[in-house]
Amino acid sequence: MNTLKAGDKAPSFSLQDQNGNTVNLTDFKGSKVIIYFYPKAMTPGCTVQAQGLRDHNDQLHSAGAVVLGISPDPVAKLKKFADKESLNFTLLSDEDHAVAEAFGVWGLKKFMGKEYEGIHRITFIIDEVGNVSDVLDKFKTKDHHQAVIDAISKG
């Protein structure tokens, strides 16, 4: 796993959102973009993480930032997740994990003694010109939103 670092150019991508619309990273040029990778919609940790961003999205938006959540879930599952949790930001489907690989967040994981390939829970703050300004990988899901707010505030 070769995770992007602050200062790297964010890879461009096009993915489908929870409504089946195509979203490109370039659509957000001129804004800060919070790209958070999460393993699986509707699981406890991912739900808590999404709820925190939902509940603080106005604050993030006021700071000029948009939130994009990316997981390997299919569009239909993302739609259910967004509806069930009243999410007020965009979820993107990366079923072939090509974008996760481009950002360096797809790799070997361990859970209960088993090894498998999957998405590592890492968040990238992309600046207005498309460069990575921050990489957040040390947080608890319940505190993720605060780590994002702190990163956006300092920039």
Side-chain angles (χ1 to χ4, degrees):
M1 214 169 76
N2 194 12
T3 306
L4 293 179
K5 294 171 185 49
D8 290 345
K9 181 86 176 141
S12 66
F13 61 80
S14 295
L15 292 172
Q16 292 218 311
D17 71 9
Q18 69 266 32
N19 299 311
N21 300 314
T22 300
V23 174
N24 302 295
L25 180 57
T26 55
D27 296 343
F28 304 100
K29 193 167 184 146
S31 297
K32 292 178 188 169
V33 183
I34 299 154
I35 299 176
Y36 84 100
F37 289 90
Y38 64 99
K40 191 172 184 181
M42 298 194 285
T43 56
C46 296
T47 298
V48 167
Q49 187 177 16
Q51 289 168 336
L53 290 169
R54 174 198 67 200
D55 295 347
H56 294 86
N57 198 28
D58 287 347
Q59 188 176 356
L60 295 167
H61 194 31
S62 294
V66 296
V67 177
L68 302 176
I70 301 178
S71 77
D73 295 303
V75 169
K77 187 168 185 183
L78 296 180
K79 176 76 172 144
K80 279 185 193 170
F81 186 40
D83 290 348
K84 180 176 187 243
E85 299 302 330
S86 302
L87 300 181
N88 52 5
F89 55 86
T90 302
L91 299 178
L92 299 173
S93 174
D94 185 23
E95 284 190 86
D96 65 2
H97 48 82
V99 175
E101 288 182 38
F103 276 78
V105 301
W106 185 266
L108 200 58
K109 296 176 76 170
K110 279 186 178 185
F111 183 70
M112 297 180 70
K114 289 183 131 177
E115 288 189 349
Y116 62 97
E117 295 267 309
I119 282 188
H120 289 257
R121 194 182 301 275
I122 298 175
T123 298
F124 298 87
I125 311 295
I126 311 301
D127 68 17
E128 295 83 352
V129 296
N131 295 318
V132 176
S133 63
D134 265 297
V135 179
L136 310 174
D137 60 357
K138 305 256 189 291
F139 54 83
K140 291 188 179 345
T141 54
K142 68 181 175 62
D143 301 326
H144 176 249
H145 65 277
Q146 192 58 55
V148 170
I149 290 166
D150 292 347
I152 292 291
S153 300
K154 76 172 185 160

